[in-house]
Amino acid sequence: MTDLASEVRIENEAPKAPTINASVRTILLALGVTEMGPTDGTTRKVTSIPEYERLFGGWTTNSKDMRAALQGWWAEAGEGAEAHVGRVVHTSVQGDPTTKTSTKGQLTLSTPTGGAVAGSVLSGNPAPYNLEPGDTLVISRDALGQATATVTATAATRSAGVDGPYALADNQTIIVSIDGGAPQTVTFLASEFANIGAATATEVAAVIAAKLVGAQADVSASRPRIRSDRRGTSSGVNVSGGTANAVLQYTTGNSPGTGNVANVDAVTAAEVKTIVEAAVSGVTVTNEGGFQRISSNTTGPSSSVQVISTSTADDEFDFDNVSHPGNAAGAQQTVRVDARWDGAYAAEITVQVTAATNGLADHFNFYVLRNGLPVERYANLNLDELSPRYALTIINPEATGSRFVVLVDLNATIASPGNLPIAGTFGPLTGGSDGLVGLTDTDYVGGVTLNGKTGLRCFDSRDGDILIVPGRATAAVQNAEVTYCEVTREGLLFPILDPPAGLTAAQMETYFVDTAALYELSELGSMYWPRVKILNPAKAVYGNDADIVVPPSGVLAGIYARVDESKIGGAFEHPAGEGELYRPTSITGVETDEVFEKAARDRLFPRNINPISKEGKYFFVDGARVLKLTGNWPSVGQRRGVMFVSKRLKTGLTFLRHRNMRPSFYQAGIRTTTVFMNLLTRNDCFASKKPSEAYQFDFGPGLNKPSTRKQRKAISKLAMATTEPGEFIVVLVGPDTRALDAELAAEAAG
């Protein structure tokens, strides 16, 4: 618009297009056998080797492949790279983690030997208790049968001294104190009555009820009555005066409530003791940190206490209704030590109990030992649930507690400190197993049931970019990996497949092409050969060789992540070839030197199997092909680059959902996508750095006809000019004939 005369003008600003996040944070999903960790179908996020070892353990015969894969991941991608780990154990029902065959080790700690113990029951709720008048505890003890303790309580009341009607006057008052509180003044206004000079009992009660706090008023025996809201002996109504009392004639002074409790809505521990001991012979009630323990006055196996289910107050106290017998002289079981996770590692765990460092008799120190060496120390614990040093509060949390064990309080009936575990060293834990007997491909493939998920399906709710399953290079599992990534994860997860152990080039070709039928199966996935060597991390476990052989998928995943994060759109780069960015830095060798022979590579590379080879002093990845060379995206960089764009668009265009499909709707989608694609183009992700040659994006009316909009659909189309890797570098060598050619040309011209 041209500026002419001075004015205030309103112009609509074009809306800014939301931007799509182009940053890269490659996430690994890893499934396999671990020394410990959850077996309930859930996974855990880990970002470093210490985090991994805290949750999943270390180097064992069975966990080698998984542990090595994660070490390779962080060695190549860097500490802090995100991984989600799922543990595999055998289940008797596919997809049902509750049918796992792995188990936790256990150990029970006892108290010191003591005298005979009385039967007793402890409330689950602490005082005070919100009861009702007439509530009961029906208690059976020893051979004495049942007796009933009943709570009684009535509210304080005070009634007018004469019958109505009452000749009140406007602004007359009465002064009332409720439950010993401050005096309250009730003022009678003429507007509150039909005729204040002949006020009825009902009218007087209504005015008092509306203005008193902590009390009600009603009509009793034709007279207005004031009644405290509180029921019990601390309830009180005291009419102390006022100009209207000459007419109403309330008796002055306090009128108390009655009962065997001061306030039935807040019954104290002392009141419980008095009521129960008065009504039920042969028992004693003690207050343990606010909780009520009812104990028989006898001891030994014949001693017992039971709160009967016909009680009406047992739910407020949270007493159970089972019989609690006493014990003969001797020790009681007091704490059970459970392995935190299922696994045979529990057989290496012992525990030690010593006197508390702080010198308090009702505290103790607790140590966890592995193979006889202390690995965890917890000082000054107790068995008081309300204490901040309660042993279960300190040891049991997964994030901050013990790496190896959790505790179960068995609620020994001996009073503290007699209920503490006896000092000494105990164990090892028994009964723990890894659940690997009968382990099959089905346990890795997993499934979904009403009871949860197992195998690959445990990753369903986890965001991820790369999937590896180290230690299970079988046809069934690797086909399941491809299917999971392609179907369940809608093509947005990329599996790196490991070669089976010990295969020659010819055997690898047979496995890949015939046995597993992976050749030309899908663009989702890549295969490498051979397996790799790393420094032996535990010679006590793996023998004295300097190196051990492990699957390469973790190392390769780390290289993928490193290349991804090397620039915006790094996923379009092929994670192969020479150069520090692309080559593995954490391996010491390969399983077979056959890969160094060109004949072996000539056999496998045309089959889309990428060799891990060596030229000079460095190992390198000699190929970036996906399983299927005849698809749209035949290389790792192309396929994963397209996946990167797809994932970013899927989240970046969510702002369009449920918006009206008017022209501005399509314009916003075009702006947002174009800005993102231009950024990738400038970062050299495509065949050209000119947007018009790098990609095409259509979100126009040709794709979005009225019939399409009628279906509530908005269709766009993105075509990308990706680039293939240079696999064959050809140099033509011949003689330099320029001088001869010039001489011949001169002769011909002369």
Side-chain angles (χ1 to χ4, degrees):
M1 179 179 293
T2 303
D3 293 324
L4 299 174
S6 174
E7 63 176 335
V8 175
R9 184 167 67 238
I10 306 299
E11 295 184 0
N12 291 322
E13 182 182 16
K16 294 181 179 179
T19 58
I20 294 177
N21 181 14
S23 63
V24 178
R25 183 176 61 97
T26 304
I27 300 173
L28 176 69
L29 306 182
L31 178 72
V33 173
T34 62
E35 181 186 25
M36 55 182 71
T39 54
D40 58 357
T42 62
T43 64
R44 294 293 187 274
K45 172 185 172 181
V46 287
T47 59
S48 66
I49 289 174
E51 277 189 0
Y52 175 89
E53 290 192 335
R54 173 176 174 79
L55 289 168
F56 294 98
W59 297 98
T60 69
T61 301
N62 294 318
S63 68
K64 177 187 71 172
D65 290 342
M66 188 69 157
R67 175 64 179 79
L70 271 296
Q71 177 169 295
W73 162 252
W74 285 305
E76 304 295 345
E79 290 278 319
E82 182 176 336
H84 294 268
V85 177
R87 182 183 179 188
V88 174
V89 299
H90 179 54
T91 59
S92 56
V93 177
Q94 185 175 5
D96 186 349
T98 65
T99 65
K100 62 184 176 63
T101 59
S102 59
T103 54
K104 289 182 171 68
Q106 291 185 345
L107 168 69
T108 300
L109 303 180
S110 297
T111 65
T113 300
V117 177
S120 69
V121 61
L122 184 68
S123 68
N125 292 329
Y129 301 100
N130 184 1
L131 304 179
E132 289 296 321
D135 270 348
T136 60
L137 287 175
V138 183
I139 300 170
S140 174
R141 68 278 191 230
D142 301 345
L144 299 177
Q146 299 178 8
T148 302
T150 304
V151 175
T152 61
T154 63
T157 63
R158 180 72 83 189
S159 295
V162 295
D163 294 341
Y166 303 100
L168 299 176
D170 190 29
N171 283 315
Q172 283 188 321
T173 62
I174 59 168
I175 300 173
V176 184
S177 297
I178 302 298
D179 304 335
Q184 302 180 54
T185 300
V186 176
T187 301
F188 299 103
L189 303 176
S191 60
E192 296 168 334
F193 299 86
N195 179 2
I196 195 170
T200 67
T202 300
E203 289 175 320
V204 172
V207 173
I208 294 173
K211 297 184 178 182
L212 274 185
V213 176
Q216 302 293 322
D218 58 11
V219 176
S220 175
S222 302
R223 298 178 181 182
R225 179 179 65 176
I226 303 171
R227 184 180 72 253
S228 171
D229 289 338
R230 180 180 297 178
R231 296 161 296 172
T233 57
S234 66
S235 170
V237 176
N238 181 6
V239 179
S240 57
T243 56
N245 203 34
V247 178
L248 298 172
Q249 296 185 31
Y250 282 104
T251 301
T252 58
N254 187 56
S255 174
T258 64
N260 56 11
V261 295
N263 180 1
V264 76
D265 294 326
V267 177
T268 67
E271 290 171 331
V272 174
K273 177 179 177 66
T274 299
I275 295 168
V276 172
E277 290 182 356
V280 184
S281 62
V283 300
T284 299
V285 180
T286 53
N287 179 6
E288 297 186 4
F291 297 85
Q292 312 312 305
R293 184 180 293 279
I294 304 174
S295 303
S296 169
N297 291 341
T298 64
T299 60
S302 63
S303 171
S304 67
V305 172
Q306 180 180 9
V307 177
I308 305 301
S309 60
T310 54
S311 304
T312 58
D314 53 346
D315 53 344
E316 285 82 4
F317 286 89
D318 192 25
F319 282 120
D320 63 42
N321 300 123
V322 300
S323 179
H324 294 265
N327 292 299
Q332 285 190 45
Q333 295 182 344
T334 184
V335 172
R336 192 178 76 231
V337 183
D338 289 353
R340 179 174 291 281
W341 310 111
D342 294 5
Y345 81 92
E348 301 174 355
I349 301 299
T350 56
V351 299
Q352 187 177 65
V353 178
T354 67
T357 305
N358 61 15
L360 297 179
D362 60 349
H363 287 65
F364 63 99
N365 292 345
F366 184 82
Y367 300 85
V368 179
L369 296 82
R370 188 169 193 185
N371 294 319
L373 299 176
V375 290
E376 295 176 344
R377 175 182 180 273
Y378 302 94
N380 304 322
L381 306 180
N382 61 39
L383 293 180
D384 178 359
E385 294 182 12
L386 300 181
S387 168
R389 297 303 301 172
Y390 181 46
L392 277 65
T393 301
I394 302 298
I395 290 177
N396 288 4
E398 181 180 313
T400 60
S402 171
R403 173 185 168 193
F404 300 101
V405 300
V406 294
L407 303 184
V408 178
D409 191 343
L410 300 180
N411 296 311
T413 57
I414 306 173
S416 181
N419 63 336
L420 300 187
I422 190 172
T425 301
F426 308 96
L429 278 63
T430 59
S433 69
D434 293 326
L436 301 182
V437 175
L439 193 70
T440 66
D441 289 343
T442 300
D443 295 310
Y444 285 83
V445 174
V448 181
T449 66
L450 292 176
N451 291 326
K453 300 179 179 183
T454 62
L456 293 170
R457 299 304 300 272
C458 71
F459 294 120
D460 283 0
S461 61
R462 294 296 191 186
D463 186 21
D465 301 289
I466 300 169
L467 171 68
I468 62 172
V469 185
R472 200 71 178 187
T474 66
V477 171
Q478 293 187 332
N479 274 270
E481 289 180 66
V482 173
T483 300
Y484 178 72
C485 293
E486 196 166 53
V487 179
T488 308
R489 301 302 291 260
E490 299 177 340
L492 298 180
L493 182 64
F494 190 89
I496 299 176
L497 306 182
D498 288 309
L503 298 191
T504 65
Q507 291 168 334
M508 183 65 203
E509 180 183 24
T510 299
Y511 169 79
F512 186 74
V513 176
D514 300 323
T515 306
L518 294 167
Y519 177 61
E520 288 296 314
L521 175 66
S522 171
E523 295 174 0
L524 267 295
S526 57
M527 173 65 81
Y528 296 83
W529 176 83
R531 299 197 305 163
V532 298
K533 293 181 180 180
I534 62 172
L535 288 174
N536 188 340
K539 291 186 177 181
V541 179
Y542 305 119
N544 292 323
D545 289 345
D547 308 298
I548 60 173
V549 178
V550 297
S553 55
V555 170
L556 294 163
I559 295 173
Y560 279 36
R562 188 170 67 219
V563 174
D564 288 351
E565 298 179 21
S566 65
K567 70 172 191 177
I568 292 175
F572 282 96
E573 299 299 317
H574 304 290
E578 287 282 1
E580 290 185 8
L581 180 63
Y582 308 101
R583 63 175 178 243
T585 61
S586 58
I587 67 174
T588 59
V590 290
E591 185 176 31
T592 172
D593 289 348
E594 186 185 5
V595 73
F596 303 147
E597 300 172 10
K598 188 173 184 301
R601 301 195 301 276
D602 285 346
R603 175 189 287 272
L604 297 182
F605 194 52
R607 295 299 199 179
N608 306 335
I609 300 170
N610 301 302
I612 300 173
S613 190
K614 184 179 184 180
E615 288 189 6
K617 62 179 181 178
Y618 295 115
F619 291 95
F620 72 104
V621 182
D622 193 12
R625 291 187 176 183
V626 296
L627 306 178
K628 184 178 182 179
L629 198 62
T630 57
N632 290 329
W633 321 108
S635 68
V636 174
Q638 290 173 293
R639 177 66 266 180
R640 293 193 64 249
V642 171
M643 287 171 58
F644 167 75
V645 170
S646 300
K647 292 182 76 169
R648 291 302 187 271
L649 291 179
K650 187 171 183 177
T651 56
L653 294 178
T654 54
F655 75 95
L656 294 175
R657 294 170 65 182
H658 309 299
R659 303 282 71 80
N660 288 322
M661 291 187 288
R662 53 174 69 100
S664 59
F665 169 90
Y666 299 101
Q667 292 165 7
I670 292 171
R671 283 195 301 271
T672 296
T673 304
T674 300
V675 168
F676 173 63
M677 294 303 294
N678 285 349
L679 176 61
L680 296 181
T681 302
R682 289 195 302 273
N683 277 273
D684 205 17
C685 294
F686 303 114
S688 172
K689 297 186 78 170
K690 293 181 179 180
S692 61
E693 298 174 355
Y695 70 91
Q696 289 182 314
F697 182 66
D698 185 2
F699 199 22
L703 294 173
N704 294 281
K705 302 180 186 300
S707 59
T708 304
R709 294 197 299 274
K710 192 70 174 177
Q711 300 175 56
R712 300 177 179 84
K713 291 182 180 180
I715 299 175
S716 61
K717 183 177 181 180
L718 175 65
M720 289 173 278
T722 61
T723 59
E724 294 77 10
E727 295 178 342
F728 307 101
I729 311 303
V730 179
V731 179
L732 300 177
V733 179
D736 185 349
T737 62
R738 288 175 295 176
L740 179 59
D741 291 343
E743 180 181 344
L744 294 175
E747 290 178 357

